[in-house]
Amino acid sequence: MMPEPLHSYFKTRSKLADQALNLYLDKTTADPEIVHEAMRYSIFAGGKRLRPVLVLAAVECCGKKPEIALPTAAAMEMIHTYSLVHDDLPAMDDDDLRRGRPTSHKVYGEAIAILAGDALLTKAFEIIAKNVKIKGVRAPSVIAVLELIAHGSGTFGMIGGQVVDIQMELGKWKKHKEHEKILTYIHKHKTAALIRTSLQAGALLADATPTQVKCFATYGEAIGLAFQIADDILDITADKKKLGKKGSDSKNQKLTYPALFGLEESKKKALELVEIAKNALKPFGERAQVLKQLANYIVERDH
């Protein structure tokens, strides 16, 4: 269970993110209707809204109001969701369920699912650009955020991690000597890059100092890695109904922390990363309390 202060924070900030997503995403009546329907189907499938909440939390840690970053917060969820839509495709993880519902390609077919994912990614950058119209946000900051997010979601970030993850499926990683190095690369890029980028983007929009942005980068990479390790553990230990999916990384012989180190050592590594993350927030004092609670929750959650 998420502790009450963190639960309350997530509830209010997730609501802000959902309102922004509803505002910025085209309605299902816009032509071509099917692709807009598919985009909304995946966006409003009940995700945690972790990345948009992290954008807003970084803004507040820097003493600014979360509303100044809502376009970028919404955009981060669009990018994350596009990656999930593509991840579920038969050519990749081949999953039938996502968050307890049929995956996009099961509802709309593979072609529309691919295009809906493409459209979400494209729309995200249109929305980030809108952040320049928000009072109190400087245009150079938005330009810096655009570059940061493009890099974090591209071949040197999330996509790069996904490529290596695919290459290591079906036990192919067993042929390589540097298992841990490959595993760290995958997690740092596939999962941690977008989480780290969310925090950095919020900080930049709030006119954080370079030192503060670096603190968020350290925190973001640490919780991103811890989040993925926790996911790998849950893939083995959790009720699949709670996870809302059918597939299994262990079944696909993917390179994961439990596969390499076992469950206990993986849990230990996740806890070490949580401490690194919390230590990085010391310069922010009490304003970082929510982010510290979030770091703890990431390794304590059951789904």
Side-chain angles (χ1 to χ4, degrees), residues 1 11 49 51 67 72 107 109 114 120 125 139 162 169 172 198 200 213 246 248-249 251 255 263 273 276 285 293:
M1 285 287 291
K11 187 176 180 179
R49 302 296 190 243
R51 289 146 194 86
E67 286 79 6
T72 296
V107 178
I114 291 168
L120 283 167
F125 287 97
Q162 288 177 321
E169 281 185 11
K172 292 176 185 175
S198 297
Q200 291 173 289
V213 174
K246 288 171 65 178
S248 168
D249 287 345
K251 183 180 178 182
L255 176 57
L263 286 174
L273 286 163
I276 291 170
Q293 290 175 351

Side-chain angles (χ1 to χ4, degrees), residues 5-26:
L6 183 60
H7 179 265
S8 178
Y9 184 87
F10 248 81
K11 187 176 180 179
T12 56
R13 301 313 184 271
S14 296
K15 187 176 180 180
L16 283 176
D18 278 339
Q19 289 169 346
L21 285 162
N22 190 47
L23 173 67
Y24 292 121
L25 272 176
D26 297 291

Side-chain angles (χ1 to χ4, degrees), residues 23 25 72 93 97 100 108-109 121 125 150 165 176 180 188 197 205 211 256 262:
L23 173 67
L25 272 176
T72 296
D93 282 354
L97 287 178
Y108 298 99
L121 176 61
F125 287 97
D165 191 34
H176 296 264
E180 187 173 1
K188 275 188 176 181
T197 299
L205 293 171
T211 300
T256 65

Side-chain angles (χ1 to χ4, degrees), residues 52 55 76 94 104 114 133 200 213 219 242-243 256 258 301:
V55 174
M76 293 307 296
D94 194 15
S104 181
I114 291 168
K133 299 177 182 179
Q200 291 173 289
V213 174
Y219 170 86
K242 279 191 174 184
L243 293 181
T256 65
R301 61 198 169 95

Side-chain angles (χ1 to χ4, degrees), residues 175-194:
K175 298 178 182 178
H176 296 264
K177 293 180 180 179
E178 297 181 313
H179 298 158
E180 187 173 1
K181 185 177 178 181
I182 296 169
L183 179 60
T184 301
Y185 179 93
I186 291 170
H187 285 355
K188 275 188 176 181
H189 291 75
K190 183 179 179 180
T191 304
L194 217 57

